[in-house]
Amino acid sequence: MKRRPVFLLVMCIGLSIAPTYGRQKPSTRPAPTTDDASVTTASVTIDGRQVRYRATAGTMPIEKEDGTVRGGMFYVAYQRLDVPDLLDRPVAFAFNGGPGAASVWLHLGALGPRRLSLRREGFAPPPPYRLVDNEYSLLDVTDLVFIDPVGTGFSRPAPGASGDGFFGVEEDIEAVAQFIHLYVTRNQRWLSPKFLIGESYGTTRAAGLVAHLQKRHGMYFNGVVLVSTVLNFQTISFDPGNDLPYVMVLPSYTAAAWYHRRLPESLQRRDLPDVLAEAERFAVEQYAPALIRGATLDPARREAVVNTLSRLTGLSRRYISRSDLRVPVWRFAKELLRDANRTVGRFDSRFTGIDRTAVGEAFEYDPSYDAIQGVFSSTMHHYVRAELRYESDLLYEILAPQHVQPWDYGRYENRYLDLTDRLRDAMTKNPYLKLFVASGYYDLATPYFATDYTIWHLGLDPSLADNVTIRYYFAGHMMYLREPSLANLSEDLKRFVQEAKGASSVITATVPGAD
């Protein structure tokens, strides 16, 4: 009997185990079968300059080869109005993850001309919520198209159709590629500089998309942006016998413990990047070899590893020893502040939650998701109808993983999903393709060190190594929730777009840094 893999759901802002008892259909009507776009105009001030733009909100029909509509994909596109020549004007396609997440997170959180109003450190204010102009939007340097894959937002299968042609690794890539091909063709953007921006599972999608669009449509891109990356699922899958994620997540545990002041004073008084460098060295040079030894690990060496793990994580030596040196994320999130009856967030470990009791193996909910989900939901439902003037009685599905289950892994059945080599292949065949990678120190869902490991193993020829830019931010999975990180991310991405859009040689070297 062929075994279906356990599905690790990479949300727009993290991971969770999804049930696989059969697909649940959306409780709303199917999508329109014709493009029903609403067009509005507005302006936003970015870097002290007014940017006038046209916003198009619509649902593009996705067809089979015979012309039969198989679904509708909702999108919101922003085009700057004072551009004399579209051939020189970049266009960026952005999407989130899930599978089952709409693009609202990048849309209203980071890139679009409007964003939700949060406190400076990224924590939600009390309701009611409000939108503000986004002075950090990328609209001054690139047009933006936010895509909601089928099963998210207002995107649905066509009447009488199932989601089988959308809900899978390859199906998802092909459907979104079809949308991009149609948009580029209908809007005459074939000669414009082009970018993909994906977050979480959206980074997995982006790696597959850029390779697919090159091979299937001959559409070459200038740049790919990966926000909170997962390309190799082995790095985040806490399965028996797979020690890799324990090594990769350790520095993120250190970051969480440092933030909540659970480290020894000798570490607390140092800057976070300096402390993380120590955790990274220990993870690679001592922790990984110790885990490899398994039951043959020398008792004295085991005790030394336990002591250092305790020092770097804020967890007790007894807890680490009884966990056989291996503490998965859900246990760490429960244990770090257990004595205070608090849990820490998985998507952003700066957030804290309160469980019913302090006992138990894992947290009852992720406080970093529940704290901000309502802000995104409320503002998007208001924005799409009140400002974009898109009329629909459909429920805008912010995060609906149950609607895309079971996810078809195809060729990846019975092994870890890994699209790293597709990205390498695309970058090798298009040597002008640039890669920007953004990671949050406090992200326990897609840990920054796991992303580093993936990039180290990308397999690029040394002549292309400088095509990769990596940046780190003092926030979590959605680093843009924290305004100082959003400001730095915006600056970094604008520089990346400007350099990559006119690249005539291999450029864009960077030294990893922090905001």
Side-chain angles (χ1 to χ4, degrees):
M1 179 178 178
K2 192 173 184 181
R3 178 180 175 271
R4 187 185 185 280
V6 175
F7 181 64
L8 284 174
L9 189 68
V10 187
M11 303 290 191
C12 57
I13 46 177
L15 312 169
S16 65
I17 299 298
T20 57
Y21 304 116
R23 182 168 299 133
Q24 301 179 36
K25 295 182 179 180
S27 58
T28 51
R29 298 191 306 275
T33 56
T34 58
D35 196 337
D36 55 345
S38 169
V39 180
T40 56
T41 58
S43 65
V44 61
T45 300
I46 304 173
D47 290 333
R49 294 184 295 273
Q50 186 182 61
V51 176
R52 295 183 62 249
Y53 62 89
R54 176 170 58 247
T56 304
T59 301
M60 183 180 292
I62 304 299
E63 301 178 349
K64 299 179 181 179
E65 287 292 332
D66 62 4
T68 303
V69 175
R70 61 193 183 100
M73 202 168 288
F74 181 74
Y75 68 97
V76 179
Y78 299 96
Q79 182 176 330
R80 186 169 179 170
L81 290 176
D82 57 351
V83 177
D85 184 5
L86 285 181
L87 298 186
D88 188 53
R89 174 70 173 170
V91 58
F93 298 91
F95 36 78
N96 279 87
S103 61
V104 61
W105 314 95
L106 284 173
H107 186 176
L108 296 186
L111 307 178
R114 298 279 279 166
R115 67 180 176 93
L116 46 83
S117 178
L118 298 172
R119 293 174 177 172
R120 177 178 169 82
E121 288 299 309
F123 303 110
Y129 311 114
R130 64 188 182 94
L131 287 165
V132 296
D133 283 348
N134 185 11
E135 61 186 289
Y136 308 110
S137 174
L138 298 190
L139 192 54
D140 56 335
V141 299
T142 180
D143 291 340
L144 297 163
V145 183
F146 295 95
I147 305 170
D148 289 342
V150 170
T152 74
F154 291 136
S155 303
R156 302 287 190 276
S162 71
D164 292 342
F166 299 100
F167 304 148
V169 176
E170 304 301 340
E171 294 87 345
D172 174 72
I173 289 171
E174 291 173 3
V176 177
Q178 184 180 353
F179 172 92
I180 292 174
H181 172 264
L182 288 171
Y183 184 91
V184 168
T185 300
R186 293 176 181 179
N187 290 275
Q188 301 181 31
R189 305 305 296 267
W190 271 93
L191 296 184
S192 298
K194 289 179 282 295
F195 294 83
L196 295 175
I197 306 176
E199 181 183 349
S200 205
Y201 187 88
T203 65
T204 313
R205 179 186 294 123
L209 264 177
V210 70
H212 180 83
L213 285 165
Q214 281 187 196
K215 182 177 181 179
R216 176 66 179 86
H217 299 290
M219 185 182 295
Y220 279 47
F221 279 71
N222 294 71
V224 174
V225 176
L226 306 180
V227 179
S228 300
T229 307
V230 56
L231 302 183
N232 177 2
F233 281 59
Q234 186 179 0
T235 64
I236 60 170
S237 303
F238 293 92
D239 298 325
N242 180 30
D243 286 332
L244 186 59
Y246 297 100
V247 178
M248 298 296 101
V249 78
L250 176 60
S252 296
Y253 288 171
T254 301
W258 183 90
Y259 181 84
H260 293 287
R261 302 198 63 82
R262 291 303 172 118
L263 298 180
E265 187 56 33
S266 60
L267 294 177
Q268 285 293 161
R269 62 172 173 257
R270 291 159 56 184
D271 291 338
L272 179 59
D274 184 41
V275 176
L276 294 180
E278 179 177 330
E280 292 168 14
R281 286 192 298 272
F282 171 76
V284 173
E285 297 172 6
Q286 299 181 52
Y287 187 34
L291 295 183
I292 290 172
R293 296 294 302 181
T296 69
L297 181 63
D298 178 78
R301 187 179 175 191
R302 186 183 192 278
E303 185 65 19
V305 170
V306 167
N307 290 337
T308 305
L309 282 175
S310 176
R311 178 173 179 269
L312 292 173
T313 64
L315 304 182
S316 71
R317 290 187 294 272
R318 182 172 182 269
Y319 187 84
I320 292 170
S321 180
R322 289 171 66 88
S323 298
D324 194 25
L325 313 183
R326 297 163 176 85
V327 180
V329 166
W330 53 89
R331 288 180 179 168
F332 176 84
K334 179 72 173 182
E335 184 67 20
L336 180 66
L337 304 179
R338 188 189 292 270
D339 60 353
N341 196 24
R342 294 294 184 271
T343 60
V344 300
R346 190 182 187 199
F347 308 144
D348 190 328
S349 62
R350 298 176 304 142
F351 289 73
T352 59
I354 306 174
D355 284 352
R356 184 172 183 271
T357 67
V359 299
E361 181 181 23
F363 56 8
E364 297 171 6
Y365 68 100
D366 184 348
S368 56
Y369 172 70
D370 285 89
I372 52 88
Q373 189 267 347
V375 190
F376 277 91
S377 178
S378 297
T379 53
M380 186 60 183
H381 279 93
H382 168 82
Y383 178 62
V384 71
R385 293 176 173 88
E387 297 190 27
L388 297 179
R389 305 296 182 188
Y390 185 85
E391 296 296 333
S392 174
D393 289 333
L394 288 173
L395 173 66
Y396 187 89
E397 297 285 2
I398 298 284
L399 186 60
Q402 70 274 15
H403 293 166
V404 301
Q405 291 298 305
W407 194 253
D408 186 356
Y409 279 88
R411 73 180 79 172
Y412 299 100
E413 291 280 358
N414 300 317
R415 62 189 178 102
Y416 292 112
L417 177 60
D418 186 356
L419 269 65
T420 305
D421 197 58
R422 294 204 203 180
L423 181 58
R424 178 209 60 80
D425 184 69
M427 296 182 71
T428 300
K429 293 175 179 177
N430 174 12
Y432 301 114
L433 178 62
K434 310 298 180 183
L435 179 66
F436 183 94
V437 182
S439 297
Y441 284 135
Y442 299 112
D443 181 3
L444 301 184
T446 57
Y448 81 89
F449 202 47
T451 297
D452 290 352
Y453 173 91
T454 299
I455 300 302
W456 297 343
H457 293 80
L458 192 56
L460 283 178
D461 185 85
S463 66
L464 300 174
D466 286 346
N467 280 24
V468 180
T469 300
I470 303 175
R471 285 281 285 153
Y472 308 91
Y473 304 89
F474 287 91
H477 195 76
M478 300 170 69
M479 69 285 296
Y480 44 80
L481 295 180
R482 179 177 178 267
E483 188 169 351
S485 296
L486 171 60
N488 284 293
L489 176 65
S490 174
E491 181 181 352
D492 292 339
L493 289 180
K494 289 180 183 182
R495 183 183 303 113
F496 175 75
V497 169
Q498 296 283 32
E499 293 178 350
K501 76 170 187 176
S504 58
S505 60
V506 178
I507 56 174
T508 317
T510 209
V511 177
D515 58 33

mmCIF file with all atom_site columns, all heavy atoms in Angstrom, residues 31 59 160 189 227 256 306 445 499:
data_model
loop_
_atom_site.group_PDB
_atom_site.id
_atom_site.type_symbol
_atom_site.label_atom_id
_atom_site.label_alt_id
_atom_site.label_comp_id
_atom_site.label_asym_id
_atom_site.label_entity_id
_atom_site.label_seq_id
_atom_site.pdbx_PDB_ins_code
_atom_site.Cartn_x
_atom_site.Cartn_y
_atom_site.Cartn_z
_atom_site.occupancy
_atom_site.B_iso_or_equiv
_atom_site.pdbx_formal_charge
_atom_site.auth_seq_id
_atom_site.auth_comp_id
_atom_site.auth_asym_id
_atom_site.auth_atom_id
_atom_site.pdbx_PDB_model_num
ATOM 1  N N   . ALA A 1 31  ? -16.368 30.371 -7.945  1.00 0.00 ? 31  ALA A N   1
ATOM 2  C CA  . ALA A 1 31  ? -15.902 31.657 -8.447  1.00 0.00 ? 31  ALA A CA  1
ATOM 3  C C   . ALA A 1 31  ? -16.578 31.994 -9.769  1.00 0.00 ? 31  ALA A C   1
ATOM 4  O O   . ALA A 1 31  ? -17.082 31.125 -10.473 1.00 0.00 ? 31  ALA A O   1
ATOM 5  C CB  . ALA A 1 31  ? -14.390 31.606 -8.630  1.00 0.00 ? 31  ALA A CB  1
ATOM 6  N N   . THR A 1 59  ? -11.188 38.523 -10.672 1.00 0.00 ? 59  THR A N   1
ATOM 7  C CA  . THR A 1 59  ? -11.030 37.073 -10.644 1.00 0.00 ? 59  THR A CA  1
ATOM 8  C C   . THR A 1 59  ? -10.785 36.586 -12.064 1.00 0.00 ? 59  THR A C   1
ATOM 9  O O   . THR A 1 59  ? -11.671 36.690 -12.924 1.00 0.00 ? 59  THR A O   1
ATOM 10 C CB  . THR A 1 59  ? -12.283 36.379 -10.071 1.00 0.00 ? 59  THR A CB  1
ATOM 11 O OG1 . THR A 1 59  ? -12.507 36.861 -8.737  1.00 0.00 ? 59  THR A OG1 1
ATOM 12 C CG2 . THR A 1 59  ? -12.092 34.874 -10.034 1.00 0.00 ? 59  THR A CG2 1
ATOM 13 N N   . GLY A 1 160 ? -19.287 23.013 -10.495 1.00 0.00 ? 160 GLY A N   1
ATOM 14 C CA  . GLY A 1 160 ? -19.287 21.614 -10.883 1.00 0.00 ? 160 GLY A CA  1
ATOM 15 C C   . GLY A 1 160 ? -17.912 20.988 -10.966 1.00 0.00 ? 160 GLY A C   1
ATOM 16 O O   . GLY A 1 160 ? -17.786 19.782 -11.190 1.00 0.00 ? 160 GLY A O   1
ATOM 17 N N   . ARG A 1 189 ? 3.276   42.826 -20.602 1.00 0.00 ? 189 ARG A N   1
ATOM 18 C CA  . ARG A 1 189 ? 4.419   42.969 -19.708 1.00 0.00 ? 189 ARG A CA  1
ATOM 19 C C   . ARG A 1 189 ? 5.530   41.962 -19.995 1.00 0.00 ? 189 ARG A C   1
ATOM 20 O O   . ARG A 1 189 ? 6.390   41.726 -19.147 1.00 0.00 ? 189 ARG A O   1
ATOM 21 C CB  . ARG A 1 189 ? 3.961   42.824 -18.245 1.00 0.00 ? 189 ARG A CB  1
ATOM 22 C CG  . ARG A 1 189 ? 2.858   43.762 -17.817 1.00 0.00 ? 189 ARG A CG  1
ATOM 23 C CD  . ARG A 1 189 ? 3.201   45.234 -18.056 1.00 0.00 ? 189 ARG A CD  1
ATOM 24 N NE  . ARG A 1 189 ? 4.324   45.701 -17.279 1.00 0.00 ? 189 ARG A NE  1
ATOM 25 C CZ  . ARG A 1 189 ? 4.226   46.287 -16.084 1.00 0.00 ? 189 ARG A CZ  1
ATOM 26 N NH1 . ARG A 1 189 ? 3.033   46.464 -15.532 1.00 0.00 ? 189 ARG A NH1 1
ATOM 27 N NH2 . ARG A 1 189 ? 5.306   46.720 -15.449 1.00 0.00 ? 189 ARG A NH2 1
ATOM 28 N N   . VAL A 1 227 ? 10.651  34.898 1.456   1.00 0.00 ? 227 VAL A N   1
ATOM 29 C CA  . VAL A 1 227 ? 10.413  35.430 2.793   1.00 0.00 ? 227 VAL A CA  1
ATOM 30 C C   . VAL A 1 227 ? 10.034  34.270 3.707   1.00 0.00 ? 227 VAL A C   1
ATOM 31 O O   . VAL A 1 227 ? 9.036   33.600 3.477   1.00 0.00 ? 227 VAL A O   1
ATOM 32 C CB  . VAL A 1 227 ? 9.290   36.489 2.782   1.00 0.00 ? 227 VAL A CB  1
ATOM 33 C CG1 . VAL A 1 227 ? 9.031   37.017 4.200   1.00 0.00 ? 227 VAL A CG1 1
ATOM 34 C CG2 . VAL A 1 227 ? 9.641   37.635 1.844   1.00 0.00 ? 227 VAL A CG2 1
ATOM 35 N N   . ALA A 1 256 ? 14.824  33.112 21.129  1.00 0.00 ? 256 ALA A N   1
ATOM 36 C CA  . ALA A 1 256 ? 13.618  33.219 21.961  1.00 0.00 ? 256 ALA A CA  1
ATOM 37 C C   . ALA A 1 256 ? 13.981  33.357 23.432  1.00 0.00 ? 256 ALA A C   1
ATOM 38 O O   . ALA A 1 256 ? 13.420  34.191 24.155  1.00 0.00 ? 256 ALA A O   1
ATOM 39 C CB  . ALA A 1 256 ? 12.731  31.993 21.742  1.00 0.00 ? 256 ALA A CB  1
ATOM 40 N N   . VAL A 1 306 ? 24.401  18.379 27.147  1.00 0.00 ? 306 VAL A N   1
ATOM 41 C CA  . VAL A 1 306 ? 23.221  18.765 27.920  1.00 0.00 ? 306 VAL A CA  1
ATOM 42 C C   . VAL A 1 306 ? 23.439  20.126 28.586  1.00 0.00 ? 306 VAL A C   1
ATOM 43 O O   . VAL A 1 306 ? 22.566  21.007 28.558  1.00 0.00 ? 306 VAL A O   1
ATOM 44 C CB  . VAL A 1 306 ? 22.890  17.686 28.974  1.00 0.00 ? 306 VAL A CB  1
ATOM 45 C CG1 . VAL A 1 306 ? 21.862  18.223 29.978  1.00 0.00 ? 306 VAL A CG1 1
ATOM 46 C CG2 . VAL A 1 306 ? 22.360  16.433 28.311  1.00 0.00 ? 306 VAL A CG2 1
ATOM 47 N N   . ALA A 1 445 ? 8.975   28.531 13.040  1.00 0.00 ? 445 ALA A N   1
ATOM 48 C CA  . ALA A 1 445 ? 8.285   27.729 12.025  1.00 0.00 ? 445 ALA A CA  1
ATOM 49 C C   . ALA A 1 445 ? 9.208   27.403 10.861  1.00 0.00 ? 445 ALA A C   1
ATOM 50 O O   . ALA A 1 445 ? 9.282   26.260 10.414  1.00 0.00 ? 445 ALA A O   1
ATOM 51 C CB  . ALA A 1 445 ? 7.046   28.459 11.532  1.00 0.00 ? 445 ALA A CB  1
ATOM 52 N N   . GLU A 1 499 ? 18.702  46.845 -8.515  1.00 0.00 ? 499 GLU A N   1
ATOM 53 C CA  . GLU A 1 499 ? 19.921  46.235 -9.031  1.00 0.00 ? 499 GLU A CA  1
ATOM 54 C C   . GLU A 1 499 ? 19.627  45.090 -9.991  1.00 0.00 ? 499 GLU A C   1
ATOM 55 O O   . GLU A 1 499 ? 20.282  44.938 -11.022 1.00 0.00 ? 499 GLU A O   1
ATOM 56 C CB  . GLU A 1 499 ? 20.794  45.738 -7.874  1.00 0.00 ? 499 GLU A CB  1
ATOM 57 C CG  . GLU A 1 499 ? 21.369  46.856 -7.018  1.00 0.00 ? 499 GLU A CG  1
ATOM 58 C CD  . GLU A 1 499 ? 22.177  46.329 -5.854  1.00 0.00 ? 499 GLU A CD  1
ATOM 59 O OE1 . GLU A 1 499 ? 22.145  45.100 -5.603  1.00 0.00 ? 499 GLU A OE1 1
ATOM 60 O OE2 . GLU A 1 499 ? 22.850  47.128 -5.176  1.00 0.00 ? 499 GLU A OE2 1
#
